[in-house]
Amino acid sequence: MAGPRVVIIGAGVVGAALADEISARGWTEVTVVDQGPLPATGGSSSHAPGLVFQTNPSKTMTEMARYTVEKFCSLDVDGQPCFLQVGGLEVATSPERVTELQRRHGWLASWGIESRLLTTEECVAQHPLVNADKVLAGLHVPTDGLAKAVLAVEAQIRRATERGVRFLARHEVLDVRQSEGEVTGVLTDQGEIPADIVVCCAGIWGPKIARMAGMNLPLTPLAHQLAWTGPVPALAGQTQEAVRPILRHQDADLYYRDRFDGLGIGYYGHRPMPISADDILSVDESDEMPSVLKFTEEDFEEAWTETQSLLPATKDAKVEEGINGLFSFTTDGLPLLGESPDVKGFWVAEAVWVTHSAGVGKAMAEWLVDGYCSSFDLHECDVNRFEPHQLSPEYVLARDCQNFVEVYDILHPLQPSGDPRPIRTSPFHTRQQELGAFFLEANGWERPQWYEANASLVEGRSIVTPNDWAAKYWSPIVAAEAQTTRETVAMYDMTALKRLEVSGRGAGEFLERLCTGKVAKSVGSVTYTLLLDHDGGIRSDVTVARLAPDLFQVGANGNLDLDWFTRHLPVDGTVQVRDITPGTCCIGLWGPRARDVLQPLTDADFSATGLKYFRAKRAHIGSVPVTAMRLSYVGELGWELYTTADLGQKLWDTLWRAAEPLGGIAAGRGAFNSLRLEKGYRSFGTDMTYEHDPYEAGVGFAVKLDKDDFVGKAALERRKAEVRRKLTCLTIDDPKAVVMGKEPVYDGDCAVGYVTSAAYGYTIGKGIAYAWLPVELAAPGTVLHIGYFDQSVEAVVAEEPLFDPAMSRLRG
């Protein structure tokens, strides 16, 4: 036996995949327990219809699905294949869906999956049952197909067993044992199993198991309808289980699969039917299996009517059986992976469907064995990504049900979230409402996108309206706000930026160990720096301001930064970290007249020498005490001004009275995004993630290899000389061709990269797109094309930054 003692709870597709992957990496002292029989344990894996569509707006989810396909294609059980690679076909029955299929085709090209857009006739050739009079177009992915989930479980159990992994069926977990904040074992109805690591792969029972370790898991089991027809006369004589592609009719929330001479029909169009994990029956109590509820025929009536319209041959068949099968849903539609923030050694791999199961198994095995995942970027899947309000029962239930309803909807990248909303409002919210703010949501905060009060600024400006898709959640006011920021001054609500306080006599040394830059400098210093994983991948980019010898303020990207800091705290108590975001607020005051606004309001010296670029000081603005940092994410003179939440409105009013006579305005996130791209400023999670290193991402200047050791330094020294791709600035001359992000970039007919952030540059008069490209194509002047729906948009690699390369406006 090798490795620590590991107990995996749940032997479905995720637990089996993890046992296989982790044992292949040499950890064999592994026990897998499940309350049900093997290999059909009674969870979601046991009734899953098995459709594997790889198309996803998330690069990570697509790559996990691709790995699942590749792995399952290599597995069999006594000659029975675990994957039937019949391909996948999505059809459009509305013009809007035709356009959406073009966008999805772009995602696949971006993520390196072969696909093809089909005409009506080609759709019928792929799936002869579809109604040619109804279908307008299709998207075909030849590597999609049907996963035989139970067979895949059995195949992976056999492989893991051969390496020494122990599988225990009919073992119900009663408790997760722990001592002094660490797991010690798992108590089952047949005794206790000691463990150094416990991984919860319990699926729909995940919240119940996680609660045993004191963890609140934001997951809701929801029933999803699956029906099977009897024989369809048009399919008479079909002896193979599946010969036609798996089929999605997303306009009607439906999908289909072959089953010999009949069809399986899945439906998401019915009312959400959530159930508490505590109310799911046990294996012995359930009639069929715990994850299967009674079929509600009345909820399926519309689905059956639509099925007969799309597949007329089904009019000669009947629905003979059906279930309401339970599946896991989360608030953002993504898995829950990672270690508990409170109990060391308790991990979860939850809300994972068959489609991504093997990929998740590989990711978790790498994470556990190596300390990081090298195959996938997991930042959007980390269970610790959520803000506290996002773990509330009301929020979780509402958003999980919403995600069920929207699972096949056409969703715009900026589309606002639904209820519950609003949740978090800055102290400026009332004033913003008075100015007619159009709000979108950011980490639960209501954040203005633009202000209707600025509508008059549009007059006299030449503002090109972008294409219809890009013009959603857009207004010409965005352009006017961006240009006015460059001309005079604007106030930006930066409250949604995560703020952490790091304090204690060991704070400086602690931050030096985690940051790539030298941050423990003089009091008043502000440093842009990076947090790296042990493999040199970027975990975040942050600003660190030293406000006192033992006090630092960190401008972070989200809860994962807080989690990262917390996990690395020294055990001697010399460092404390706390989230100060809820009790504070921030206004970005930026523009060439920013000093004219601020200096008359204070006795402190805010001249170019009185507070230099990337320095901080405490001062009073009128009667409001602030922490002022001379930073600007829009590339203009100005400051981030922080104060406590109780004084936020007073700060706003004080600045507003001074700014308005000088032509100052309040400006929103739409303008902000345009301005930051003109300056080439990166956005973590969009432009760069865990899979990228600083030299690829163009932020190598934030790395100081001459400083003492820091997390990721050794890996960076190896990676520095191996840069093969680069985050690259592209400009687009066509003013109508504003892309949105995640589109493929082509060199000729070959997809060579993908867009991260994009916007129109209202100062430079061109579209801007940042994209990951091979380093040999990143030379300025290189002409490429971006695939935007059915268009090919010419783009040219440009030197960056596009605006004020001499930094004269920032340093003035």
Side-chain angles (χ1 to χ4, degrees):
M1 296 292 184
R5 298 169 299 176
V6 179
V7 173
I8 298 171
I9 302 172
V13 283
V14 181
L18 176 55
D20 180 34
E21 296 283 345
I22 204 169
S23 61
R25 285 163 176 76
W27 282 17
T28 55
E29 196 167 344
V30 178
T31 302
V32 184
V33 298
D34 200 292
Q35 63 181 338
L38 298 175
T41 61
S44 301
S45 304
S46 301
H47 69 73
L51 287 81
V52 175
F53 287 95
Q54 297 165 85
T55 313
N56 198 291
S58 163
K59 181 174 183 282
T60 297
M61 297 299 282
T62 297
E63 290 174 339
M64 286 179 169
R66 173 166 48 199
Y67 181 78
T68 300
V69 167
E70 293 169 353
K71 183 175 183 180
F72 282 11
C73 281
S74 71
L75 299 177
D76 72 272
V77 175
D78 301 330
Q80 299 179 77
C82 294
F83 196 79
L84 306 177
Q85 201 158 39
V86 293
L89 176 64
E90 299 183 37
V91 294
T93 59
S94 66
E96 295 79 13
R97 186 65 63 174
V98 172
T99 304
E100 173 69 359
L101 292 187
Q102 293 165 352
R103 182 167 71 129
R104 297 170 73 80
H105 175 60
W107 294 340
L108 290 162
S110 292
W111 315 145
I113 302 287
E114 179 189 355
S115 68
R116 192 165 69 93
L117 292 165
L118 304 185
T119 64
T120 299
E121 293 74 20
E122 290 171 322
C123 289
V124 174
Q126 286 288 337
H127 201 300
L129 297 189
V130 300
N131 184 351
D133 294 332
K134 190 176 181 72
V135 171
L136 303 178
L139 174 64
H140 182 241
V141 181
T143 52
D144 286 346
L146 281 171
K148 307 290 289 181
V150 175
L151 281 179
V153 168
E154 184 173 357
Q156 291 175 104
I157 286 176
R158 289 186 181 185
R159 286 163 42 132
T161 301
E162 290 174 357
R163 301 187 193 105
V165 174
R166 183 172 58 146
F167 286 82
L168 301 178
R170 295 285 185 177
H171 279 61
E172 182 182 358
V173 174
L174 304 178
D175 195 17
V176 175
R177 299 296 202 196
Q178 51 188 292
S179 176
E180 298 182 351
E182 297 186 21
V183 296
T184 60
V186 171
L187 178 65
T188 76
D189 58 355
Q190 298 190 43
E192 186 166 341
I193 307 169
D196 306 302
I197 293 172
V198 174
V199 188
C200 179
C201 304
I204 54 177
W205 290 278
K208 182 178 179 180
I209 300 297
R211 198 161 54 245
M212 296 175 185
M215 189 175 183
N216 186 358
L217 203 64
L219 179 159
T220 304
L222 281 109
H224 158 58
Q225 289 200 304
L226 175 65
W228 300 96
T229 72
V232 177
L235 304 181
Q238 181 175 320
T239 57
Q240 292 178 263
E241 181 178 352
V243 296
R244 279 163 291 279
I246 54 175
L247 178 66
R248 276 205 283 210
H249 176 24
Q250 295 185 328
D251 282 323
D253 299 302
L254 285 160
Y255 64 77
Y256 305 91
R257 57 151 293 176
D258 285 7
R259 188 172 72 167
F260 300 102
D261 61 353
L263 293 174
I265 307 169
Y267 186 44
Y268 287 105
H270 55 79
R271 60 192 168 92
M273 293 183 265
I275 184 172
S276 169
D278 296 314
D279 294 334
I280 302 172
L281 297 177
S282 68
V283 173
D284 294 329
E285 291 174 324
S286 57
D287 293 334
E288 185 175 347
M289 64 180 74
S291 60
V292 169
L293 306 181
K294 183 180 178 182
F295 187 61
T296 49
E297 295 182 8
E298 64 276 13
D299 290 305
F300 196 72
E301 289 176 358
E302 189 175 332
W304 183 234
T305 300
E306 182 61 28
T307 294
Q308 293 174 85
S309 175
L310 181 72
L311 308 173
T314 58
K315 293 177 181 178
D316 300 320
K318 294 181 179 180
V319 174
E320 293 195 346
E321 56 182 308
I323 63 170
N324 286 4
L326 295 177
F327 288 95
S328 299
F329 280 79
T330 61
T331 57
D332 57 9
L334 293 164
L336 308 173
L337 312 179
E339 188 179 18
S340 162
D342 302 313
V343 180
K344 185 177 180 181
F346 182 78
W347 293 69
V348 298
E350 291 290 351
V352 180
W353 293 4
V354 173
T355 299
H356 310 102
S357 58
V360 167
K362 181 180 183 181
M364 291 298 296
E366 290 179 351
W367 199 350
L368 287 162
V369 175
D370 301 329
Y372 58 88
C373 176
S374 58
S375 295
F376 310 101
D377 163 37
L378 297 183
H379 88 274
E380 60 186 4
C381 302
D382 194 313
V383 70
N384 296 296
R385 64 189 180 269
F386 301 105
E387 296 291 321
H389 74 273
Q390 295 172 319
L391 299 174
S392 70
E394 178 189 44
Y395 182 94
V396 171
L397 180 61
R399 290 291 171 92
D400 289 359
C401 288
Q402 178 183 338
N403 278 330
F404 177 89
V405 170
E406 294 179 346
V407 70
Y408 279 176
D409 286 0
I410 299 171
L411 301 176
H412 191 274
L414 296 179
Q415 186 160 323
S417 302
D419 292 333
R421 189 178 172 216
I423 295 178
R424 309 173 85 180
T425 55
S426 79
F428 323 130
H429 188 68
T430 299
R431 296 294 184 256
Q432 292 165 344
Q433 288 178 309
E434 292 168 356
L435 293 172
F438 178 82
F439 292 100
L440 296 180
E441 185 185 13
N443 294 324
W445 293 97
E446 294 295 314
R447 184 168 66 188
Q449 193 73 359
W450 68 81
Y451 294 87
E452 289 296 332
N454 295 326
S456 62
L457 298 175
V458 174
E459 187 176 349
R461 298 178 186 271
S462 178
I463 298 173
V464 178
T465 301
N467 55 77
D468 290 348
W469 184 251
K472 285 191 173 186
Y473 309 109
W474 176 88
S475 166
I477 297 171
V478 168
E481 290 178 356
Q483 292 173 349
T484 301
T485 303
R486 296 268 190 245
E487 295 161 359
T488 56
V489 63
M491 294 164 53
Y492 288 84
D493 182 357
M494 301 297 291
T495 302
L497 175 72
K498 189 82 161 178
R499 291 173 292 285
L500 306 178
E501 180 184 271
V502 182
S503 61
R505 58 185 174 85
E509 182 181 353
F510 168 76
L511 288 169
E512 286 287 345
R513 172 68 180 150
L514 293 182
C515 296
T516 61
K518 297 176 182 178
V519 298
K521 298 183 291 190
S522 62
V523 172
S525 65
V526 182
T527 307
Y528 173 81
T529 185
L530 307 173
L531 307 178
L532 303 182
D533 216 327
H534 295 277
D535 66 343
I538 301 171
R539 288 196 64 95
S540 190
D541 64 336
V542 299
T543 54
V544 178
R546 191 170 202 172
L547 304 181
D550 295 337
L551 178 66
F552 296 79
Q553 182 172 310
V554 178
N557 281 298
N559 214 56
L560 289 180
D561 294 342
L562 174 60
D563 181 68
W564 185 251
F565 281 162
T566 303
R567 291 182 188 280
H568 287 84
L569 284 174
V571 296
D572 60 8
T574 57
V575 183
Q576 296 80 45
V577 176
R578 69 186 184 101
D579 182 0
I580 61 171
T581 313
T584 56
C585 57
C586 179
I587 294 175
L589 181 70
W590 294 314
R593 302 210 65 180
R595 187 172 285 120
D596 297 335
V597 172
L598 194 64
Q599 189 61 77
L601 301 175
T602 180
D603 293 334
D605 184 0
F606 278 87
S607 67
T609 55
L611 185 61
K612 295 180 179 179
Y613 187 51
F614 264 82
R615 298 289 296 180
K617 70 163 52 174
R618 286 181 165 145
H620 283 85
I621 306 301
S623 58
V624 179
V626 301
T627 298
M629 299 186 195
R630 185 148 177 222
L631 311 175
S632 174
Y633 209 51
V634 301
E636 292 290 339
L637 168 68
W639 304 268
E640 292 178 356
L641 302 171
Y642 298 89
T643 191
T644 52
D646 60 322
L647 292 170
Q649 185 168 301
K650 182 65 175 176
L651 176 63
W652 179 282
D653 290 345
T654 301
L655 293 171
W656 181 256
R657 282 194 298 269
E660 195 175 21
L662 301 178
I665 61 168
R669 190 69 177 186
F672 179 93
N673 198 48
S674 170
L675 297 171
R676 70 103 178 166
L677 285 177
E678 289 184 336
K679 282 299 292 180
Y681 293 148
R682 277 62 168 147
S683 174
F684 177 80
T686 302
D687 298 317
M688 54 190 186
T689 67
Y690 293 3
E691 68 175 303
H692 306 116
D693 72 44
Y695 306 110
E696 298 171 328
V699 288
F701 64 87
V703 177
K704 306 304 179 187
L705 289 176
D706 60 342
K707 63 175 278 189
D708 290 339
D709 195 24
F710 56 84
V711 174
K713 181 180 180 182
L716 273 196
E717 290 172 332
R718 295 191 301 270
R719 294 177 68 157
K720 186 175 183 180
E722 300 176 356
V723 175
R724 295 186 175 88
R725 57 185 173 178
K726 185 179 178 183
L727 184 62
T728 307
C729 179
L730 303 171
T731 58
I732 302 166
D733 286 335
D734 183 352
K736 290 277 189 180
V738 177
V739 301
M740 298 291 293
K742 301 188 178 182
E743 297 89 358
V745 180
Y746 292 92
D747 180 25
D749 295 330
C750 181
V752 292
Y754 59 91
V755 174
T756 58
S757 295
Y760 193 79
Y762 299 107
T763 310
I764 67 167
K766 292 184 178 184
I768 306 169
Y770 271 79
W772 280 102
L773 296 174
V775 69
E776 60 270 19
L777 294 175
T782 304
V783 178
L784 301 165
H785 289 81
I786 299 172
Y788 186 68
F789 295 95
D790 61 343
Q791 303 170 33
S792 178
V793 177
E794 184 174 289
V796 180
V797 176
E799 292 274 9
E800 57 173 333
L802 299 169
F803 176 77
D804 189 25
M807 305 283 281
S808 59
R809 295 173 75 107
L810 278 167
R811 298 180 185 276

